[in-house]
Amino acid sequence: MRVLVTGGAGFIGSHVVEALAARGHEPVVFDARVDPGADVRDGAAVARALAGADAVCHQAAMVGLGTGFADAPDYASHNDVGTAVLLAAMAGAGVRRLVLAGSMVVYGEGRYDCARHGRVRPGPRTVEDLDAGRFEPRCPECGAWLAPGLVGEDAPLDPRNVYAATKVAQEHLAAAWARDTGGTAVSLRYHNVYGPRMPRDTPYAGVASFFRSALARGQAPTVYEDGAQRRDFVHVRDVAAANALALEADPAGGALTAYNTGSGEPHTVGELAAELAAAHGGPAPRVTGEYRLGDVRHITADSARLRTELGWHPEVGFAAGVREFAGAELRGAR
């Protein structure tokens, strides 16, 4: 297949391009890093890039929590307007296969169980609790501490920050496009992707990049809250392989199919920082107790659907992946 990869020169996109080429496909990179005119909000540029394409792998996005709500117009413009323009161009060009870079942030908090009330959904954490160092969500019924678990694709969507809201909107746009055109749309809901070519020294990257950037400067990684936040860290090459399999699959047309894309092995943020610092030979992490209001406490994936339906399985374990990442080259923020 000839596959247009938006954001194909970026962190994840560049690995997707390599994975597609290795499987005999023809990836076409659409990215402002290599062509300043490659903007997914420019319908004419997108239409030209789609010429001869059989499918689109949409990786271009503004990511991360950013620097505050003032970033909201940029997030909505790049992620949602850009996706709408792309989908309109695909509809016009007759391209009917889409794989979208989704995100686990669409869930908000992950799955929680109360010993007394069973499955519950805690509300957003309050500033009062966070200021007091009470980071764990409590049962909305009885106030008891909750046990976190793995979240599945059928969990309600509950975005807790601007970036998350735009990722939900992207999925809704893709679902509307699929219904209107009969196309196939897959959203791979990435968990915490890490690995070679992550951007450095930018507020729009993930926690693994923050830690690795600090170590590259000879500084201790800064860990928010108490470091016990649970995440699913999945290696970028495994994510790229998931994209290739999703493009080659034959899901039902006219609807969006979502797949959690995570390693299936939860680790804490503090554990990542410690393992990365030890592998890099840098200063030990510094746990600050500070917090970011848009962060959630625990979010880890159940990726059984992706394994069962597409035959995907992660090949890079946490320990090996962190050791590689500790010495990997980072790229500029752009």
Side-chain angles (χ1 to χ4, degrees):
M1 284 188 293
R2 182 178 172 90
V3 182
L4 181 66
V5 184
T6 69
F11 165 46
I12 298 175
S14 64
H15 288 275
V16 170
V17 166
E18 291 177 356
L20 291 174
R23 297 173 73 91
H25 300 293
E26 181 187 356
V28 177
V29 173
F30 186 80
D31 195 306
R33 296 172 183 85
V34 294
D35 177 4
D39 187 333
V40 290
R41 296 167 296 180
D42 182 338
V46 174
R48 289 192 296 271
L50 280 171
D54 303 297
V56 172
C57 188
H58 186 28
Q59 304 294 317
M62 188 173 176
V63 301
L65 279 181
T67 58
F69 202 85
D71 288 330
D74 283 339
Y75 275 105
S77 176
H78 285 87
N79 296 355
D80 299 337
V81 174
T83 298
V85 171
L86 172 67
L87 293 171
M90 290 175 64
V95 179
R96 297 291 182 263
R97 185 178 292 267
L98 170 72
V99 172
L100 172 69
S103 175
M104 52 81 182
V105 297
V106 299
Y107 299 117
E109 288 284 355
R111 198 196 85 186
Y112 290 92
D113 293 295
C114 173
R116 181 178 173 187
H117 294 99
R119 186 72 48 80
V120 296
R121 289 192 60 78
R125 298 181 294 171
T126 67
V127 171
E128 180 182 17
D129 279 343
L130 292 169
D131 283 343
R134 296 187 293 265
F135 301 123
E136 292 291 340
R138 292 179 180 265
C139 175
E141 301 292 332
C142 66
W145 300 116
L146 300 173
L150 301 181
V151 63
E153 290 90 348
D154 295 329
L157 305 186
D158 186 16
R160 301 283 175 96
N161 55 61
V162 171
Y163 170 60
T166 66
K167 298 308 286 185
V168 171
Q170 281 187 313
E171 288 197 358
H172 287 327
L173 288 166
W177 167 84
R179 286 192 297 271
D180 188 70
T181 65
T184 63
V186 171
S187 178
L188 297 176
R189 291 175 178 167
Y190 301 160
H191 281 249
N192 288 70
V193 187
Y194 74 99
R197 301 178 208 151
M198 283 198 89
R200 64 173 293 171
D201 297 324
T202 168
Y204 300 96
V207 66
S209 177
F210 295 162
F211 294 161
R212 182 66 178 77
S213 295
L215 290 166
R217 297 191 300 268
Q219 299 172 353
T222 298
V223 179
Y224 286 170
E225 302 186 20
D226 58 2
Q229 309 94 303
R230 285 161 51 102
R231 296 290 188 269
D232 186 320
F233 298 101
V234 59
H235 195 276
V236 66
R237 288 197 297 274
D238 288 328
V239 168
N243 275 272
L245 287 171
L247 283 163
E248 294 167 353
D250 191 22
L256 175 84
T257 304
Y259 293 104
N260 286 334
T261 308
S263 71
E265 298 180 4
H267 293 274
T268 68
V269 171
E271 184 181 355
L272 172 67
E275 294 272 345
L276 193 56
H280 190 273
R286 183 173 62 91
V287 181
T288 67
E290 299 172 2
Y291 63 87
R292 298 189 300 178
L293 193 59
D295 275 339
V296 298
R297 180 61 174 175
H298 304 296
I299 176 68
T300 52
D302 179 353
S303 297
R305 179 184 293 178
L306 182 60
R307 296 167 187 255
T308 300
E309 295 186 8
L310 299 190
W312 175 86
H313 60 88
E315 296 185 352
V316 183
F318 179 76
V322 169
R323 284 195 301 270
E324 178 199 24
F325 183 48
E329 182 179 355
L330 301 179
R331 65 195 305 165
R334 211 179 115 64

